[in-house]
Amino acid sequence: MSEINVLVWSNDFFLRWSDFNAESNSAAFEDSHSIIKYRHTWTISSDEIESQIIFFIENIQLSVEFYPVLSWVRTSETNDDLLKHEQGHFDLAELVKRENLEKLQNKFYQKQFPTRGKNEDQGKQFAKEDSGKMIAIEVYKLEEILSKRRQEYDEQTNFGHNLEKQSEYNSIFNKLRL
């Protein structure tokens, strides 16, 4: 199975309507919808202390990804203001990431975790598996924070129709690109 194409947030990338490839949802209230998620990577190292294999989690990285094949817009509603609002969802995810990444990293850095396994190779494999699960739980919590913030963003901007409030958010988002 091939990997789904994603767009990764960067300070010089902006969404275009051509990035919204899913069929629009006629039952939805909103005129467009963006699917945005966090992807995480990390490294682990292991050591043996008093005949027990322990592991350390290091170098946790998060990226913000936009999924074109799952994101949609009603073509009759495409306009610059709505696109700016959808870009805001992408930017908001980056903002939430930046606000929480250090806290997530500190939950694991400089700490040792026991691993399972009957030998060193099994211990390393379990360390990889267990560390991935531990980080995934924290990333899920981050996605819950993002979901709440996205809902607030939509409510406060009335899905981009409240241009004054949208402008306030745009000013915050512009600071991400400095």
Side-chain angles (χ1 to χ4, degrees):
M1 186 169 118
S2 66
E3 188 165 329
I4 295 175
N5 287 334
V6 298
L7 303 172
V8 178
W9 193 97
S10 71
N11 63 359
D12 60 352
F13 176 79
F14 295 91
L15 294 172
R16 301 174 309 264
W17 283 128
S18 60
D19 297 324
F20 292 74
N21 298 325
E23 191 172 318
S24 65
N25 183 349
S26 59
F29 171 77
E30 67 261 79
D31 294 326
S32 59
H33 189 73
S34 300
I35 299 296
I36 299 164
K37 296 184 180 281
Y38 295 110
R39 177 183 299 253
H40 61 280
T41 59
W42 72 103
T43 57
I44 54 172
S45 59
S46 59
D47 201 358
E48 189 171 333
I49 298 178
E50 297 176 10
S51 73
Q52 182 182 12
I53 298 172
I54 52 123
F55 67 91
F56 305 90
I57 298 172
E58 303 164 330
N59 197 30
I60 298 172
Q61 301 293 317
L62 280 180
S63 58
V64 177
E65 298 180 334
F66 176 90
Y67 289 75
V69 298
L70 302 174
S71 301
W72 56 266
V73 62
R74 286 192 184 101
T75 54
S76 62
E77 302 301 321
T78 57
N79 62 62
D80 291 344
D81 290 335
L82 183 58
L83 183 58
K84 189 75 170 169
H85 178 76
E86 289 304 317
Q87 178 67 46
H89 281 286
F90 204 18
D91 294 341
L92 183 60
E94 177 67 17
L95 179 65
V96 169
K97 176 193 98 171
R98 291 183 189 187
E99 291 171 348
N100 291 280
L101 181 59
E102 185 176 351
K103 184 170 69 172
L104 184 147
Q105 291 168 332
N106 288 338
K107 197 164 190 88
F108 299 104
Y109 288 5
Q110 310 290 315
K111 296 181 173 95
Q112 61 185 37
F113 302 93
T115 190
R116 310 172 276 141
K118 295 182 175 149
N119 57 47
E120 187 175 350
D121 287 339
Q122 279 187 348
K124 287 181 178 181
Q125 187 60 36
F126 283 126
K128 182 178 179 183
E129 180 182 321
D130 293 347
S131 62
K133 288 177 182 176
M134 292 163 53
I135 296 167
I137 288 168
E138 298 306 313
V139 171
Y140 178 78
K141 291 176 186 175
L142 189 61
E143 287 181 338
E144 287 181 321
I145 292 168
L146 175 60
S147 178
K148 184 178 181 207
R149 296 272 299 270
R150 286 183 68 169
Q151 183 177 352
E152 291 169 359
Y153 170 65
D154 280 337
E155 289 171 0
Q156 291 176 8
T157 63
N158 189 25
F159 298 91
H161 295 294
N162 181 335
L163 297 180
E164 182 179 334
K165 195 65 176 174
Q166 184 67 54
S167 180
E168 290 175 24
Y169 271 99
N170 292 346
S171 294
I172 294 168
F173 299 148
N174 287 338
K175 292 176 185 168
L176 294 172
R177 300 181 187 286
L178 300 177

